[in-house]
Amino acid sequence: MTSTAPRRERVRQATIQEIKAAAHAQLAEHGTAALSLRAVARAMGMTPSALYRYFDSRAALISVLAQDAYASLADALEAAFATAPTDDQAVRWLLVARAHRQWAKDSPTEYTLIFGPQPTDLTDHSEALINELERSVAVMFRCMAEAIAAGDIDPSVLEVELSPGLREQLLAWDCADLSPAGTAACMSVWTQLHGLIALELFGHMPEPLAGSQELFDQQMLGALDRAGHRAPIDHHAVIARADGATGPATPVRA
C-alpha cells in the first residue's frame, strides 16, 4: 500500500514547484544574472521572507534549477541510448548526439543555465546536482567505451598528440575506465558537439546553415573519424540507418 504524504508536505512541494516555475520564467526573460529571490517572490505574490523558508539564497535556487536541467538532459540522452541499435555504434552515437541537440532546442533556458557562463554565486554544487551532471555526461562516455570495446574506434591515434602534462591531467580525470587517449577522444567529440549546438542555439550560424540537420550529422560523424574510427564512415549510409531507426529527420530551424 502506497502511503500518502502529509498534507503539509504536499503543499510545501507544490510551492517549491511554483517557485521553480516562476524562477524559470525569470531566467527565460532576463537571464541568470538578473534572477533574484525578491523578483521571484514578487511574481508569486509572496514576501521575500516567506520565500526564504524554501530557498535560503539565490545560489540555492539556481542549484536546484541546474539539477533539474541536468536530470532532464540525462533522461533524454539515456532514452536515445536505450532505444538505439546495440550493434551499430556510429548510429547509436548519432542518435544520442541528435537527442542532445533536440533537447537544447526544446530547452534553451536550461541549456544556457548549465552550459552558459556559470553564475558567480554558484560555487558549491550539491551532491544531487553532481549526480545528475555525471549521469548526463556518462551517456557519451558509454558510447565511446562501447565503440572502443566493439573495435570500431581505436583512440590510440591520439596518443602521439598527448604531452606528458596533458596525459597526467586526463588520468586525473579518471573517466569511465578509459585510457588517456580514450578520454581525449571523448573530449574531442564533446567539444565538437557543444560548439555546434552553441553556435546554432545562440544565433551564430551562417544563415544558409541555420538549423541544418545535414551539417550537424556530418559534423558528428566527422568527430568519430577524428576520435579514431577504424574504418572510413559512409556518412550517407549511417544517416540513412539513423533515420530508419527513428523516422526521417526534420531539419530544425533556428
Side-chain angles (χ1 to χ4, degrees), residues 161-179:
E161 301 177 9
L162 304 183
S163 67
L166 178 55
R167 183 182 302 279
E168 288 301 315
Q169 292 165 2
L170 293 168
L171 281 169
W173 193 12
D174 189 25
C175 286
D177 297 323
L178 292 172
S179 68

Side-chain angles (χ1 to χ4, degrees), residues 169-206:
Q169 292 165 2
L170 293 168
L171 281 169
W173 193 12
D174 189 25
C175 286
D177 297 323
L178 292 172
S179 68
T183 306
C186 271
M187 282 302 300
S188 178
V189 171
W190 193 68
T191 54
Q192 184 98 348
L193 170 68
H194 280 289
L196 196 59
I197 288 176
L199 287 173
E200 182 178 5
L201 195 65
F202 301 135
H204 298 300
M205 292 291 287

Side-chain angles (χ1 to χ4, degrees), residues 75-130:
D75 288 345
L77 299 183
E78 287 176 350
F81 185 91
T83 57
T86 58
D87 58 348
D88 196 331
Q89 302 297 329
V91 166
R92 173 181 271 181
W93 158 244
L94 184 56
L95 292 177
V96 168
R98 283 180 176 181
H100 204 309
R101 175 178 182 252
Q102 189 60 55
W103 179 86
K105 300 288 285 186
D106 293 340
S107 311
T109 300
E110 288 82 354
Y111 184 89
T112 303
L113 174 62
I114 60 178
F115 293 112
Q118 180 168 302
T120 56
D121 55 349
L122 186 56
T123 57
D124 209 12
H125 293 328
S126 69
E127 182 179 354
L129 186 153
I130 293 173

Side-chain angles (χ1 to χ4, degrees), residues 27-111:
L27 288 177
E29 185 173 359
H30 303 296
T32 307
L35 178 67
S36 72
L37 293 185
R38 186 173 297 275
V40 171
R42 184 167 55 249
M44 294 182 61
M46 295 176 69
T47 63
S49 59
L51 194 146
Y52 274 102
R53 292 200 293 267
Y54 300 91
F55 295 98
D56 60 8
S57 67
R58 192 186 94 104
L61 177 55
I62 291 176
S63 178
V64 169
L65 294 173
Q67 176 187 327
D68 288 349
Y70 279 120
S72 174
L73 172 59
D75 288 345
L77 299 183
E78 287 176 350
F81 185 91
T83 57
T86 58
D87 58 348
D88 196 331
Q89 302 297 329
V91 166
R92 173 181 271 181
W93 158 244
L94 184 56
L95 292 177
V96 168
R98 283 180 176 181
H100 204 309
R101 175 178 182 252
Q102 189 60 55
W103 179 86
K105 300 288 285 186
D106 293 340
S107 311
T109 300
E110 288 82 354
Y111 184 89

